Amino acid sequence: MGIELVIFIAAILFGIFLYWRESNGNGAYRFLNKIVNSKELQMSPDNPKGFIYKQTLLPRIIFVVSFVLVAALVVEFLTPISVFSSYNGVSAFASFAVGALIGTYLASFVIKTTEVIEEQSDSLEDKFDDVVEKGKDFIEDLTTRDSKEIEELKEDINAEPKVEKQSARDRLKDKGLM
């Protein structure tokens, strides 16, 4: 189980590397597109789409699994390591394929988040400045309001005592209603 975990983590890193590399340039995909498609069907020069970059789930799965399969076949026939003859080899193959796929989605999330943060950075700075100004105004209002209330309380304390008025019962008795 330990080696599968190491293979899985290495596959995630490999998937991140694949996605990042293809997000910087898609020359291999363009070349294959020129070979396979006619002039009318070829992708436009400003299209950033690649084997993994800007692809949906199914084409991404097909590319990652086929790439890992070709790599496993090369390892099977050129080295003494037998990938497909035991359960451990097949399990490692599956772990690597799933890990690479997860790595591509993880890299996609990170790159998209970075782009959103870069777009919003100017507006975030403005929002932060507005919040700081509102906070300063709020603190200033609290300090001035507190000092005004303290002054009013001091005046109330220093003022002459008020004469007590008659109660409602006494007033009704004076009018003869009670």
Side-chain angles (χ1 to χ4, degrees):
M1 182 67 183
I3 192 72
E4 284 183 8
L5 186 61
V6 171
I7 290 172
F8 186 71
I9 292 171
I12 290 174
L13 294 174
F14 180 72
I16 290 170
F17 173 74
L18 277 178
Y19 192 87
W20 172 77
R21 184 70 185 110
E22 198 165 77
S23 69
N24 289 332
N26 59 351
Y29 191 76
R30 279 190 191 287
F31 179 70
L32 186 65
N33 188 290
K34 281 185 179 181
I35 291 173
V36 174
N37 294 328
S38 65
K39 188 72 170 172
E40 300 87 36
L41 297 176
Q42 288 179 6
M43 59 192 291
S44 63
D46 59 342
N47 191 352
K49 192 180 215 178
F51 290 110
I52 296 173
Y53 187 69
K54 303 263 183 177
Q55 286 285 4
T56 57
L57 177 67
L58 196 58
R60 195 177 286 195
I61 288 173
I62 290 170
F63 172 72
V64 168
V65 170
S66 62
F67 184 76
V68 172
L69 182 63
V70 168
L73 287 173
V74 167
V75 168
E76 177 85 23
F77 292 116
L78 295 181
T79 65
I81 300 171
S82 57
V83 176
F84 297 113
S85 64
S86 68
Y87 169 75
N88 292 332
V90 173
S91 177
F93 168 76
S95 294
F96 197 85
V98 170
L101 189 65
I102 289 172
T104 61
Y105 277 103
L106 185 65
S108 171
F109 173 74
V110 169
I111 288 176
K112 285 181 183 177
T113 305
T114 305
E115 289 173 359
V116 168
I117 288 173
E118 286 175 358
E119 289 176 6
Q120 298 291 333
S121 65
D122 295 333
S123 63
L124 287 175
E125 290 173 5
D126 294 338
K127 289 177 185 177
F128 184 73
D129 291 339
D130 291 342
V131 168
V132 168
E133 290 299 321
K134 287 180 183 177
K136 287 179 182 177
D137 293 342
F138 180 71
I139 291 173
E140 185 178 313
D141 288 344
L142 284 177
T143 56
T144 57
R145 186 182 311 157
D146 288 344
S147 63
K148 288 179 184 177
E149 289 176 0
I150 291 172
E151 292 297 323
E152 290 174 4
L153 288 174
K154 285 182 181 177
E155 289 174 6
D156 289 343
I157 291 172
N158 295 334
E160 295 179 16
K162 296 180 182 177
V163 179
E164 292 187 25
K165 296 182 181 179
Q166 285 183 333
S167 66
R169 185 179 191 98
D170 291 337
R171 284 182 296 203
L172 288 174
K173 280 184 182 177
D174 288 345
K175 290 182 182 178
L177 297 174
M178 200 166 167

